[in-house]
């Protein structure tokens, strides 16, 4: 948690800062520094001095340590420690400080030191925090969010502020959205889903359990506590209205609860104070945050919500363990050409849809692109020349663009028409369909592609930049090679004088050489003495009388003449004027582009979406994915489904990934999957969820056919011992998360339970697994895949009409097991742990001994009833018997009748029984048990 960057009252009297500030011997500049430092006590202050940003005192020590830079001392005040970085390289150093958790205050010179009378004026021009400062080295395919949280309402019963509002702002692109709700779990999920770097919170809620949970579980997020004033409705909403307009606020109000609007306003105030404090105007004329022009309301629950656990478990964004992005679902999907497309793809994956028409609109676009490969190629080729337009706009608007940014913008705008034309062509589908194709289905058309293709390509702006800037301009605004000759007459004139003057100086040098016969004579320049004629010591006797001495150096004397002095004045004033004119023109240029931020953003968003659709089409055709049928009618039917990531890895290794069918419907909603370790249970569950998520994004899926009924949420829970990598997996955590799933899941949800109950003893674990499965079956009704090593659980299907058994097949061959990777009907009934141990290379004696022990244990278990007795107990309990009766039954049954009943059950070929026979058998067995 970093402290607030709010200005604070001056430090306490015994503070070293205060002492230093009170010290009368301070130089005026150090006094200037101390004043800033006192206003931002928690932050590192970077203080501009000439070409460097300097830090002093403790800050200098911190920076020397964090940045590997040299710790020195002020020449005037020897006891003042100092460490500095060159101003042109400051961004990289800033990134490292922010990464190390520091808040950094940048103090810049806001007047030209040459023109300053006395002390140069300096002001805070930027406050950098994790959420506002975009590290130039960060992955451009990830958004960079600042988020802000506000609470409101008051529930009478809970006596707490139950309403919450969350706003999310990406300062680099201007993306700004907000949401509100009341469900605490959903709030947590939403904060996690944004992946924001910094969360702003009203300091009054510092100890709120909801904040405590964020602090505990999201270690990468900085929580910044703000003064409650910042969350006062009046000022924050006022600020928001100033940015997005009164109408924008009214619109937001109809879609969201008040806290969301307050949170958005607070985020804006914070971002403005950090990125563009009023004092920065002096060095960034015309800069604004005008790229933020609207606030988009959204509801997390309007799409498919994949909870935090599931996101990690399914490896949507990162592989578990090493965090590798390429071995995640996003890694396989993100074939977008541009960084903007990459970010949009990540957003689509984070926010899958739930509305079938919206999903089908995306599918149409992908299908249309797949069906016209030449247009798809041209679309992607065109995008190759498209730069990160969203962030370019951000830089232009915030006054931080350099000339080459505008050239990138021009190139982007120049290639946009080709991209849009390709989209327009694909939008109408293939025009040369064969008779067979025509028979196979209706023409593939995409209304969405047509809309995107119709976006304003902003050609006027590209022409304007083209006219003004050189093709390869310098980024140095003091350079003469930025604007095209002929663009601005005033600039041309001063450039002419400056260059001309330089030619005249070169001529003068030749003339003096000739007249004095000093071959080594040179006209040179330095910033302190200006132009001078340099003559080396041995030639001094040849110097003519009209030369005036200017300076003596080691081996030479420096002179000037009246003629040189006149030329010098001419050249220097011309150069000064040229720099001034260039800067003015550049500011004018960027401001004139900034005015069009809204149009440019619309274009950027269209290009990004086309890029994503193109990438989805590309992946679909490269990997033979198919278009799933998405509808409101519940079931999931997948034929020949594959795991999208493992399939790619298998391909790379030249191995075969075995496809599988799976069906989950209302009638078969609880699918219990058994099979030995390593058979492929987890894989088939995950691939089912991944295919469902892909379908909700509008993507094609790895299968031969697929039908996906829309879902509201996907949950996963992995048994504790399978989840050790997270380092905090206790049985308690496993159970509390299972509880949360039971609380939040609905009949529209998909739940994956992978070996839950593992974290405790067999009896406990089995009982819990059993009860959880039963509860989901009877009360929740969610589609559930339940992988388990408790074979007893397969008995659930006897009582539960909507539960089915599946197993992943293996074959025994020569005392070895062969994994077939095929999901088949019915339960498996044998533990293959010992064979797996053999495969894993355990010594033969150990494996043999294990088999002996297993055999004897199995024999005992048969006698004692063992785990099956527990299964029985759970079932009896469900039948509504009292505790005493159960105990009685259990104790009695386990000694006598239960052995018999179990033996009967074990030998019954269930598949051979008719329902009537099964019922009769059950009645008989229960009667037998009740006898005792
Ligand atoms: P289980 O959960 O049953 O222990 P896993 O799902 O973890 O098994 O799979 C074990 C290994 O088998 C994994 O490393 C995976 O790569 C491989 N595997 C699983 N399913 C398939 C498949 N359908 N085709 C090829 N390899 C598979
Ligand atoms: Mg597994």
């Amino acid at each position: 948690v970093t402290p607030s960057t709010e200005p604070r009252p001056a430090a306490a009297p015994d503070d070293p800062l205060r002492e230093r500030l009170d010290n009368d011997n301070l130089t005026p500049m150090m006094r200037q520094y101390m004043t800033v430092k006192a206003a931002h006590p928690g932050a590192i202050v970077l203080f501009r001095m000439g070409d460097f940003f300097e830090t002093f005192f403790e800050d200098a020590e911190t920076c020397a340590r964090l940045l590997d830079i040299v710790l020195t001392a002020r020449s005037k005040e020897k006891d003042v420690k100092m460490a500095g970085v060159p101003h042109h390289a400051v961004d990289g150093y800033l990134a490292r400080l922010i990464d190390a958790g520091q808040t950094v205050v940048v103090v810049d010179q806001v007047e030209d030191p040459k023109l300053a009378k006395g002390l140069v004026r300096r002001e805070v021009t930027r406050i950098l925090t994790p959420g506002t400062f975009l590290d130039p080295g960060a992955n451009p395919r990830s958004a960079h969010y600042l988020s802000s949280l506000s609470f409101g309402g008051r529930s009478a019963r809970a006596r707490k502020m139950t309403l919450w509002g969350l706003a999310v702002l990406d300062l680099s692109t201007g993306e700004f959205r907000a949401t509100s709700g009341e469900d605490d779990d959903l709030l947590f999920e939403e904060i996690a889903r944004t992946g924001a770097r910094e969360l702003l919170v009203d300091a009054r809620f510092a100890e709120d359990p909801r904040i405590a949970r964020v602090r505990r579980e999201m270690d990468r997020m900085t929580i910044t506590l703000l003064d409650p004033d910042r969350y006062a409705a009046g000022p924050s909403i006022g600020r928001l209205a100033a940015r997005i307009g009164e109408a924008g606020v009214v619109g937001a109000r109809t879609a969201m609860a008040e806290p969301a609007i307050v949170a958005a306003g607070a985020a804006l105030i914070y971002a403005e104070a950090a990125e563009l404090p009023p004092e920065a105007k002096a060095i960034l004329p015309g800069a604004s945050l005008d790229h933020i022009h609207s606030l988009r309301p959204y509801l997390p629950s309007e799409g498919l919500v994949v909870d935090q656990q599931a996101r990690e478990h399914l490896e949507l964004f990162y592989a578990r363990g090493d965090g590798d992005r390429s071995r995640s679902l996003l890694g396989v999907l993100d074939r977008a050409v541009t960084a903007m497309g990459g970010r949009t793809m990540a957003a689509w994956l984070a926010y899958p849809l739930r509305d079938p028409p919206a999903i089908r609109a995306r599918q149409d676009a992908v299908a249309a692109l797949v069906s016209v490969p030449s247009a798809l190629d041209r679309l992607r080729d065109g995008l190759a020349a498209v730069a990160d337009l969203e962030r370019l706009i951000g830089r232009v608007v915030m006054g931080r663009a350099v000339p080459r940014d505008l050239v990138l913008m021009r190139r982007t705008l120049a290639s946009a028409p080709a991209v849009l034309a390709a989209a327009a062509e694909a939008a109408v589908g293939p025009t040369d369909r064969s008779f067979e194709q025509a028979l196979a289905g209706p023409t593939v058309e995409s209304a969405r592609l047509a809309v995107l293709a119709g976006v304003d390509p902003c050609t006027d702006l590209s022409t304007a930049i083209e006219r003004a800037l050189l093709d390869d301009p310098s980024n140095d605004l003091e350079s003469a090679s930025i604007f095209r000759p002929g663009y601005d007459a005033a600039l041309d004139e001063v450039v002419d004088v400056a260059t001309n003057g330089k030619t005249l100086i070169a001529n003068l040098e030749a003339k003096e050489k000739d007249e004095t016969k000093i071959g080594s004579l040179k006209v040179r320049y330095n910033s302190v003495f200006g132009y001078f004629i340099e003559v080396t010591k041995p030639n001094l006797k040849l110097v003519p009388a009209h030369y005036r001495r200017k300076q003596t150096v080691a081996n030479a004397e420096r002179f000037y003449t009246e003629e040189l002095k006149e030329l010098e004045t001419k050249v220097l004033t011309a150069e000064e004027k040229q720099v001034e004119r260039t800067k003015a023109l550049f500011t004018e240029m960027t401001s004139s582009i900034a005015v069009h931020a809204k149009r440019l953003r619309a274009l950027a968003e269209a290009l990004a979406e086309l890029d994503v659709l193109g990438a989805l089409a590309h992946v679909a055709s490269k990997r033979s994915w198919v278009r799933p049928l998405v509808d409101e009618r519940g079931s999931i039917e997948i034929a020949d489904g594959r795991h999208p990531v493992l399939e790619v890895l298998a391909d790379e290794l030249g191995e075969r990934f075995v496809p599988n069918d799976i069906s989950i419907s209302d009638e078969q909603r609880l699918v219990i999957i058994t099979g030995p370790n390593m058979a492929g249970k987890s894989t088939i569950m995950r691939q089912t969820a991944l295919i469902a998520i892909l379908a909700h994004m509008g993507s094609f899926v790895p299968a031969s056919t697929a039908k996906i009924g829309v879902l509201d949420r996907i949950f996963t829970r992995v048994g504790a011992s399978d989840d050790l990598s997270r380092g905090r997996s206790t049985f308690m955590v496993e159970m509390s998360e299972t509880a949360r799933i039971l609380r939040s899941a609905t009949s529209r949800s998909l739940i994956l339970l992978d070996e839950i109950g593992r974290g405790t003893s067999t009896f406990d674990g089995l009982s819990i697994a059993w009860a959880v499965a039963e509860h989901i079956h009877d009360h929740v009704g969610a589609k559930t895949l339940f992988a388990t090593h408790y074979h007893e659980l397969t008995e659930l299907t006897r009582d539960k009409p909507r539960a089915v058994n599946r197993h992943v097949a293996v074959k025994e061959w020569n005392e070895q097991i062969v994994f077939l990777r095929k999901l088949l009907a019915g339960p498996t009934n044998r533990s293959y742990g010992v064979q797996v141990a053999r495969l894993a290379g355990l010594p033969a004696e150990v494996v043999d001994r294990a088999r002996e022990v297993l055999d004897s244990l199995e024999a005992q278990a048969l006698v004692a009833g063992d785990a099956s007795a527990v299964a029985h107990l759970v079932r009896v309990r469900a039948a509504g018997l009292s505790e005493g009766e159960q105990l009685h039954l259990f104790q009695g049954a386990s000694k006598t009748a239960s052995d018999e009943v179990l033996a009967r059950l074990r030998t019954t070929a269930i598949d051979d029984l008719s329902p009537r026979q099964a019922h009769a058998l059950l009645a008989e067995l229960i009667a037998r048990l009740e006898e005792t």
Side-chain angles (χ1 to χ4, degrees), residues 816-869:
Q816 303 265 341
I817 60 171
V818 179
F819 294 112
L820 300 180
R821 312 277 182 226
K822 268 294 177 199
L823 188 72
L824 301 177
T828 180
N829 52 8
R830 191 100 162 72
S831 165
Y832 291 82
V834 176
Q835 282 91 328
V836 173
R838 179 198 304 281
L839 282 185
L842 268 178
E845 313 91 82
V846 177
V847 175
D848 289 345
R849 176 68 187 134
R851 163 133 309 136
E852 269 172 49
V853 175
L854 175 69
D855 286 346
S856 84
L857 283 178
E858 275 181 352
Q860 278 175 33
L862 207 63
V863 173
D866 200 15
S868 297

Side-chain angles (χ1 to χ4, degrees), residues 64-65 299 306 329 413 440 462 474 577 630 778 792 840 868:
R65 181 164 45 81
L299 280 179
V306 181
L329 181 61
L413 298 180
S462 141
S474 163
K577 281 190 188 144
V630 175
D778 295 350
E792 292 77 9
S868 297

Side-chain angles (χ1 to χ4, degrees), residues 48-123:
R48 178 74 179 261
M49 291 171 67
D51 284 340
F52 277 78
F53 279 104
E54 299 288 356
T55 55
F56 302 107
F57 304 109
E58 292 81 10
D59 283 2
E61 288 172 30
T62 312
C63 287
R65 181 164 45 81
L66 293 176
L67 303 176
D68 298 320
I69 54 175
V70 190
L71 191 64
T72 57
R74 289 263 295 153
S75 50
K76 288 183 199 149
E77 296 128 311
K78 290 277 183 270
D79 56 333
V80 177
K81 295 202 184 68
M82 177 167 103
V85 297
H87 82 100
H88 57 82
V90 73
D91 273 358
Y93 289 108
L94 290 173
R96 283 162 69 183
L97 289 174
I98 301 293
D99 225 42
Q102 305 284 341
T103 293
V104 183
V105 170
V106 176
V107 178
D108 219 325
Q109 300 172 163
V110 295
E111 63 181 345
D112 189 336
K114 273 182 250 149
L115 308 176
K117 294 182 191 67
L119 188 60
V120 183
R121 225 179 83 219
R122 293 184 174 86
E123 300 280 4

Side-chain angles (χ1 to χ4, degrees), residues 641-643 646 650 655-660 673-687 722 754-755 758 787 808 819-822:
R642 287 110 57 196
H643 188 296
L646 293 185
E655 289 167 6
R656 195 170 98 85
F657 188 87
V658 182
N660 264 307
I673 303 176
T674 42
N677 232 332
M678 290 300 286
K681 301 183 294 297
S682 300
T683 303
I684 194 156
M685 296 209 301
R686 285 183 203 154
Q687 91 189 21
D722 266 16
D754 198 348
E755 312 271 14
R758 252 201 184 173
V808 188
F819 294 112
L820 300 180
R821 312 277 182 226
K822 268 294 177 199

Side-chain angles (χ1 to χ4, degrees), residues 82 129 329 373 382 406 421 487 510 620 645 647 655 757 763 789:
M82 177 167 103
T129 68
L329 181 61
L406 296 193
Y487 172 64
V645 181
E647 180 189 31
E655 289 167 6
F763 280 18
H789 61 289

Side-chain angles (χ1 to χ4, degrees), residues 403-571:
R404 280 185 207 146
D405 286 337
L406 296 193
V407 171
L408 283 177
M409 186 177 277
R410 170 175 64 70
R411 282 198 204 133
T412 298
L413 298 180
S415 45
V419 175
L420 301 180
E425 189 189 325
V428 295
T431 47
D432 53 349
R433 299 208 316 158
S434 67
F435 184 63
E436 287 78 16
Q437 283 169 327
L439 273 185
T443 325
V444 203
E445 282 176 27
S446 164
R448 184 66 193 156
L449 280 182
V451 169
L452 293 171
V455 72
D456 169 5
C458 302
T459 316
D460 51 327
L461 299 179
S462 141
T463 317
I465 301 172
E466 164 101 68
R467 238 189 20 243
L469 289 187
L470 290 171
D471 288 342
D472 187 16
S474 163
N475 271 344
D476 177 3
L477 287 180
E478 314 227 318
S479 150
S481 42
I482 292 176
F483 288 96
R484 280 188 202 284
Y487 172 64
D488 180 71
L491 179 63
D492 287 350
E493 194 184 316
V494 284
V495 170
D496 193 47
V497 176
T499 3
N500 228 330
K502 280 188 185 154
T503 320
L504 293 180
I505 286 174
N507 291 346
L508 180 132
E509 183 185 80
K511 190 188 81 182
E512 295 296 327
K513 237 184 226 180
D514 201 45
E515 283 177 10
T516 57
K517 305 278 183 280
I518 305 173
S520 61
L521 178 145
K522 279 199 174 62
V523 174
R524 301 181 61 189
Y525 172 84
N526 77 30
S527 57
V528 181
F529 291 98
Y531 286 96
F532 50 80
I533 301 169
E534 189 168 279
V535 180
T536 52
K537 292 252 159 82
N539 292 316
L540 284 179
K541 50 190 179 305
L542 296 174
V543 167
H546 69 278
Y547 275 30
R548 310 257 178 86
R549 195 176 304 264
K550 203 167 189 177
Q551 190 199 8
T552 306
V553 289
N555 289 317
E557 293 279 333
R558 292 169 172 180
F559 303 91
Y560 69 94
T561 64
E562 280 310 318
E563 194 185 353
L564 180 61
K565 205 164 174 195
E566 266 168 42
L567 272 176
E568 177 186 72
T569 317
K570 204 168 160 187
V571 170

Side-chain angles (χ1 to χ4, degrees), residues 269 378 531 563 652 879:
I269 296 177
R378 255 174 297 120
Y531 286 96
E563 194 185 353
E652 281 167 8

